[in-house]
Amino acid sequence: MTGLVTIYGGSGFLGRYITRRMAQQGWRVRVACRRPEEALFVRTYGVVGQVEPVLCNIRDDNSVRAALTGAEVVINCVGVLAEQGRNTFQAVQAEGPERIARLAAEAGVARMVHVSAIGADAESESGYSRSKAEGEAGVLRHMPQAVILRPSVLFGAEDGFFNRFAAMAQFSPVVPLVGADTRFQPVHVDDAAHAAEIAAEGRAAPGVYELGGPDVHSFRELITQMLHIIRRRRIVLGLPFGIGRLMASVGRVVQMLSLGLVRAPITADQVADLRRDNIVSTRAKGFADLGINPRAMESVLPDYLWRFRPSGQYLAIKESARNLRHH
């Protein structure tokens, strides 16, 4: 095995793919996460003792310092889509990355990779996007040679995007969308992890890389494509942003009254973010600069969305039998 890499958030959706890749490259991997007892599955990504989950709270200096002790490289992929309790955008996405970079610099860590998001903008009306920009600036203050990755919406077997809408379409005749015409450039989670691996190993020039897949689609087109894959006919209903803001306000009140037991279906920040296209800039470095040819959605989505079909895994057999009868 080569050196030690600490991956903050290494058991999350993107983090586990980065963890697996770093282990396959022979690194010892320390997975820093809030609930290590729920992250024991990462141990199976390497040989005995190669991958170890450890307790870490990125809001705390001592916790972050302990997790990076002895590390040659640190990777941060901690993020939250909605604020909850003390895990605010400011604490997790602005202060957290800067804390990791500051302590990594003090400890003499050689390289840092930070996962941000397309749309990171200090002037955004969205607190999510502002905190992402603040986190990037904080990282570069202490680790100016860091690599910052900004992926578009991630898809993959455990994603919270296509799985969520496919689950909704199983029961609802209507799929409502705020920002139906907003464009996305979905990127496969393992392609984003591949970019992080290349950067962590020092094979990428410092700077910001915007990561998008080969196809650009509107939100409506993505859901229509998903419905075709799961063989369900549903009405895709575009909602005005005003309705989205109203839904967010009502959802916030319901969430507060239920003490968090009922989660808001959409937040005011998400409505604000949906006003802007989530696609890579023509000026930014990207997958091509890393030598990665990103995968198309059509080649991956059927592999994990089949379970939302009316007959699940058996639908293909039924369709095949129907074709035989016609002959």
Side-chain angles (χ1 to χ4, degrees), residues 151-163:
S152 183
V153 61
L154 295 170
F155 68 92
E158 310 89 347
D159 73 45
F161 186 77
F162 287 110
N163 280 306

Side-chain angles (χ1 to χ4, degrees), residues 242-324:
I243 297 291
R245 286 195 298 272
L246 180 62
M247 287 168 58
S249 299
V250 172
R252 184 165 167 269
V253 172
V254 171
Q255 187 169 317
M256 286 169 60
L257 293 176
S258 69
L259 301 178
L261 293 176
V262 179
R263 301 299 301 275
I266 192 167
T267 66
D269 268 296
Q270 287 164 352
V271 173
D273 282 326
L274 283 165
R275 285 183 168 277
R276 296 174 58 174
D277 287 340
N278 197 267
I279 59 176
V280 302
S281 161
T282 52
R283 301 184 304 277
K285 289 187 287 190
F287 277 128
D289 300 276
L290 299 168
I292 298 172
N293 187 21
R295 277 163 276 195
M297 289 187 309
E298 306 87 74
S299 65
V300 179
L301 292 184
D303 290 346
Y304 67 94
L305 292 181
W306 57 262
R307 62 195 182 96
F308 296 104
R309 292 171 177 171
S311 304
Q313 71 210 67
Y314 302 108
L315 187 68
I317 298 171
K318 285 185 174 182
E319 289 176 341
S320 177
R322 199 176 300 129
N323 291 334
L324 285 174

